[in-house]
């Protein structure tokens, strides 16, 4: 870069300016000196390092050494400083010697000479010019003891700190005012260096005023710097979520880790011993719980080392699921789900008003869990809190359900809330695919047929066939393992992504396995055996039993083995249904079922929004709404039922309507013998539904959407009668936190 010639315009110097000028006028004067079109710059950092060397008397600097070798500093100044800075120092000396010119005019003149430089560069150059003056005069011993005493106050350090602050802030509002007062400082303190002691007395008020102004600017600058750093940290976190290549670095940003040795994870797991130690907590199962504080090293990119049958080995990198909850109560239902232990780690991150949770408190809330649990027990970064507020609201908010933020193996954010996806598909997310048919027996038979009669001339033909097929089996297994190796090595091999959730929905239809997946082995077996299955619910014991007894009556006449399963929320009805031989589930199983249905509906809503589809014509969404409306708090549905044939859902409606179909059995039993029970039931059901004389008037239905649902329609049609539903706002607390 060519040197910028600095000239002092004497016409700008006014003999009559007052020292004290209103700040608004100062700002206007300073703005007028700036030429944003110049775009000239220097290496401000290098120059600032030079200034540090001159003023930092607490370290082994060039200035200290210069007392022994004066030529050293002189050469350093001459070699290291750009010529335009050296020229500026000469101008400062020249201006400061003009006794009849006020400091304001000289400061404006200096800023005019620096018009083409950025604001933060101007302050660096002005302070560097003073450092040159200060250093040279010290060496030449032109400063009296009085001069040195006046300069050895905190003002120089304060201005140096202010310049560093301005360089870090760069384009900010205090920059203009800071430029002016630093220019005034340079003029005043240059005069202290070069004037005689008598003349210095006049500068006492100027020094005091400058000290006050610098402190004021520093105060406002620090608050701006803190805001700037917060914004930079937030932008760094957002950038990492999109572009990270290392999950550990992302976790450091989330958990505000400055020291790699900080132990921010509590790892709690059960260890089984033959001889339990008396000094540890012993469970009724002969196990003890171990709690250890750990660093984030477990998430380093090496991951978990695995060895394949052929001796190949690799480090399996893991993704991270952050279980974010509002409050200090551990969300068991959100953690106690089957996740792939080989490809992901889950960390509970409680967001509380009290920043720090004690170990004993955490231990108390998770004591009933037998799973290994990782807990973040220190404050998360402010950037992550802001992220939850800005990007995850309303999915995560105070008093709402927890969410699960999914980070892939590189640390990139791939799902803002994977909890509904996990609860909906559970173990289906990571089930291994095995060969559906063993090829080897077929190959052996094929080889024997092709070598028919060979045993008459080749005695060991059977041995050769077995040896050949053994080699083929080994090659197939090695090939499969190689494919798995390549899949797991890929960063794309990760289940908990929004794209994966969408792909799962693309393949789904309204069926019983979707509704009641893995709720019971008995139920799954009946589905696989293509049996007719009735699921029923409701809170009116009389209505539910009436429907149940009617089904049992029909079954006894037709010799059908039709099992009724009660999945309603009423404990009283559940006891009665169990007494009459129906299949029922535990209270925790029922809670899990309905929580999954709720999650499934929320996941489906997000899918429909992403695909640009409406809810009204979506069979899955309408079916889920029916189930939720029948069992919602505030509904007066006494009984309801769902009939399926194997996996295919035949009908789902309120109890009166379904009972009406069963009461008409004598009219459609011939149709049942000809077409099958489920087809005949469907025919009668549809006939009653379209009949204008139907006596069925359905009870009140309710749909309870959680407040953290991203999109709640302004109007909602009743899933039973299509009338617009009333919209209510309810605040609810169940006062229970430990679900199991």
């Amino acid at each position: 870069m060519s040197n910028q010639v600095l000239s002092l315009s004497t016409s700008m110097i006014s003999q009559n300016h007052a020292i004290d000028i209103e700040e608004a006028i100062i700002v206007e004067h300073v703005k007028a000196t700036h030429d944003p079109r110049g775009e000239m710059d220097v290496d401000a950092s290098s120059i600032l390092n030079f200034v540090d060397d001159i003023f930092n008397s607490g370290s082994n600097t060039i200035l200290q050494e210069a007392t022994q070798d004066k030529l050293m500093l002189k050469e350093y100044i001459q070699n290291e400083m750009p010529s335009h800075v050296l020229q500026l120092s000469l101008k400062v000396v020249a201006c400061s010697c003009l006794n009849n010119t006020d400091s304001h005019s000289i400061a404006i003149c200096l800023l005019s000479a620096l018009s083409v430089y950025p604001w933060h560069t101007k302050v660096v150059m002005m302070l560097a010019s003073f450092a040159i003056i200060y250093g040279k005069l010290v060496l030449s011993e032109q400063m009296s003891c009085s001069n040195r005493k006046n300069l050895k106050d905190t003002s120089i350090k304060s201005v140096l700190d202010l310049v560093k602050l301005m360089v870090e802030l760069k384009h900010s509002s205090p920059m203009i005012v800071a430029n002016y007062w630093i220019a005034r400082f340079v003029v005043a303190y240059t005069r202290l260096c070069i004037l005689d002691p008598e003349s210095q007395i006049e500068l006492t008020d100027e020094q005091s005023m400058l000290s006050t102004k610098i402190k004021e600017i520093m105060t406002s600058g620090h608050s701006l710097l803190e805001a700037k750093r917060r914004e930079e940290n937030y932008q760094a976190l957002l950038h990492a979520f999109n572009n990270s290549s290392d999950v550990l670095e992302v976790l450091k940003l989330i958990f505000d880790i400055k020291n790699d040795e900080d132990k921010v994870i509590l790892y709690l797991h059960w260890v089984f011993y033959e001889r339990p130690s008396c000094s540890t907590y012993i469970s009724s199962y002969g196990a003890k719980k171990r709690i250890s504080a750990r660093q984030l090293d477990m998430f380093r990119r090496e991951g978990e080392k695995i060895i394949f049958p052929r001796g190949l080995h690799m480090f399996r990198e893991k993704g991270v699921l952050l279980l974010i909850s509002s409050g200090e109560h551990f969300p068991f239902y959100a953690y106690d789900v089957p996740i792939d232990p080989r490809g992901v780690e889950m960390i509970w991150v409680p967001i509380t008003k009290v920043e720090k949770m004690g170990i004993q408190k955490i231990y108390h809330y998770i004591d009933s869990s037998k799973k290994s649990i990782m807990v973040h027990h220190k404050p998360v970064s402010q950037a992550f809190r802001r992220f939850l507020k800005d990007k995850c609201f309303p999915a995560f908010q105070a008093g709402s359900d927890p969410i699960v933020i999914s980070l892939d193996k590189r640390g990139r954010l791939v799902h803002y809330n994977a909890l509904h996806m996990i609860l909906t598909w559970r173990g289906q997310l990571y089930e291994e695919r095995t060969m559906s048919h063993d090829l080897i027996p077929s190959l052996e038979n094929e080889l024997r047929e092709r070598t028919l009669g060979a045993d008459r001339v080749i005695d060991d033909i059977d041995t050769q066939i077995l040896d050949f097929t053994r080699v083929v089996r080994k090659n197939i297994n090695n090939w499969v393992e190689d494919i798995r190796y390549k899949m797991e090595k890929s960063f794309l091999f990760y289940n908990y992504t929004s794209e994966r959730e969408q792909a799962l929905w693309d393949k789904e239809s309204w069926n019983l396995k979707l509704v009641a997946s893995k709720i019971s082995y008995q139920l799954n077996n009946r589905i696989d055996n293509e049996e007719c299955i009735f699921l029923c619910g409701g809170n009116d014991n009389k209505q539910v039993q009436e429907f149940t007894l009617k089904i049992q009556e029909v079954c006894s006449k037709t010799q059908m083995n039709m099992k009724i399963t009660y999945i309603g929320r009423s404990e009283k009805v559940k006891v009665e249904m169990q007494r009459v031989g129906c299949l029922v589930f535990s209270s925790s199983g029922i809670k899990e079922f309905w929580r999954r249905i709720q999650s499934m509906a929320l996941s489906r809503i997000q899918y429909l929004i992403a695909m640009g589809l409406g809810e009204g014509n979506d069979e899955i969404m309408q079916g889920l709404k029916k189930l939720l409306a029948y069992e919602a708090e505030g509904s007066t549905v006494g009984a309801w039922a769902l009939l399926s044939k194997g996996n295919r859902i035949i009908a789902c409606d309120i109890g009166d309507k379904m009972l009406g179909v069963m009461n008409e059995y004598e009219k459609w039993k011939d149709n049942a013998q000809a077409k099958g029970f489920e087809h005949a039931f469907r025919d009668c059901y549809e006939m009653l539904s379209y009949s204008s004389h139907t006596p069925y008037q359905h009870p009140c239905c309710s749909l309870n959407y959680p407040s953290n649902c991203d999109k709640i329609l302004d109007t909602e049609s009743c899933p039973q009668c299509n009338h617009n539903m009333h919209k209510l706002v309810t605040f609810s607390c169940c006062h229970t936190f430990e679900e199991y």
Side-chain angles (χ1 to χ4, degrees), residues 294-305:
R294 294 190 178 184
Q295 303 169 11
L296 290 176
D297 285 348
M298 65 177 71
F299 298 101
R300 289 199 180 278
R301 288 197 61 178
E302 297 87 70
E304 171 192 356
K305 186 175 181 180

Side-chain angles (χ1 to χ4, degrees), residues 212-224:
T212 301
K213 290 295 183 181
I214 288 168
K215 288 178 182 178
E216 290 175 358
I217 299 171
M218 283 287 286
T219 300
S220 62
H222 276 304
S223 61
L224 286 170

Side-chain angles (χ1 to χ4, degrees), residues 709-724:
C709 183
D710 282 345
K711 183 178 180 182
I712 301 177
L713 299 176
D714 291 331
T715 58
E716 180 66 77
S717 298
C718 174
Q720 191 65 30
C721 66
N722 289 327
H723 289 168
N724 284 341

Side-chain angles (χ1 to χ4, degrees), residues 109-145:
C109 181
L110 291 177
L111 290 172
S112 298
L114 296 169
S115 62
V116 295
Y117 294 96
W119 290 108
H120 69 284
T121 302
K122 294 179 185 183
V123 292
V124 173
M125 291 177 66
M126 285 189 291
L127 192 61
S129 67
F130 173 68
I132 292 171
I133 297 165
Y134 177 78
K136 285 183 176 181
L137 291 175
V138 168
L139 291 181
S140 63
E141 296 183 352
Q142 293 180 7
M143 296 178 67
S144 66
C145 293

Side-chain angles (χ1 to χ4, degrees), residues 722-734:
N722 289 327
H723 289 168
N724 284 341
M725 303 180 78
H726 297 293
K727 187 174 183 178
L728 306 173
V729 177
T730 303
F731 293 90
S732 176
C733 182
C734 60

Side-chain angles (χ1 to χ4, degrees), residues 333-530:
Y333 78 89
Y335 194 91
D336 193 22
V337 293
I339 59 174
D340 184 358
R342 303 153 306 167
V344 69
E345 294 285 1
M346 182 178 274
I347 306 174
W348 176 38
V349 185
I351 305 297
T352 61
K353 292 181 180 178
V354 179
E355 290 280 0
K356 220 168 188 178
M357 294 177 64
I359 294 177
Q360 295 300 323
K361 198 168 191 179
I362 296 173
Y363 181 87
H364 171 73
Y365 285 118
I366 62 179
D367 190 38
S368 62
S369 175
K370 300 299 184 291
K371 293 179 64 178
S372 297
I373 298 172
M374 284 193 290
V375 183
H376 175 68
H377 67 101
K378 290 188 176 181
V380 295
S381 68
Q382 290 300 317
F384 186 63
R385 282 181 175 267
R386 178 180 167 186
F387 172 81
L388 293 175
K389 180 180 178 182
D390 291 355
K391 304 295 183 181
C392 297
F393 190 88
F396 179 76
Q397 54 185 291
S400 69
D401 293 333
I403 65 172
V404 172
I405 293 177
S406 177
L407 306 178
D408 70 8
K409 299 174 184 181
R410 288 183 173 179
R412 296 173 301 185
L413 195 153
V414 291
H415 208 311
Y416 281 86
N417 186 11
L419 179 60
H420 302 314
M421 173 189 185
I422 294 170
L423 292 176
T424 298
W425 283 281
R426 301 175 65 84
Q428 299 175 57
L429 291 173
Y430 66 92
E431 287 179 347
E432 287 190 6
R433 291 181 176 87
T434 57
M435 294 180 64
S436 59
H437 179 66
D438 190 353
L439 302 175
I440 302 305
S442 300
L443 179 60
E444 289 177 355
N445 293 333
E446 178 73 15
L447 292 175
R448 287 191 176 92
E449 289 181 10
R450 292 196 175 205
T451 59
L452 192 63
D455 58 335
R456 294 197 300 269
V457 293
I458 302 175
D459 295 335
D460 63 342
I461 186 63
D462 287 339
T463 302
Q464 290 192 39
I465 290 174
L466 292 174
D467 289 344
F468 178 79
T469 55
R470 189 179 298 114
V471 171
V472 172
R473 184 191 295 272
K474 183 178 180 181
N475 288 337
I476 291 175
N477 290 339
N478 287 342
W479 184 85
V480 170
E481 291 298 338
D482 186 58
I483 293 298
R484 286 179 180 171
Y485 168 83
K486 291 176 180 177
M487 288 176 61
E488 295 191 15
K489 190 176 181 181
S490 170
F491 288 111
L492 300 176
F493 186 71
Y494 186 69
N495 288 322
Y496 306 95
T497 69
S498 54
E499 290 80 10
R500 170 80 165 137
E501 183 175 23
Q502 183 174 321
L504 288 167
W505 275 124
D506 287 341
K507 298 184 295 184
E508 285 292 358
S509 61
W510 180 236
N511 61 76
L512 190 58
K513 280 196 172 180
L514 175 66
V515 173
S517 175
K518 298 187 182 301
I519 190 174
S520 160
Y521 288 112
Q522 298 178 45
L523 189 59
N524 282 334
N525 289 336
R526 288 191 173 91
I527 294 173
D528 293 337
N529 293 333
E530 287 293 312

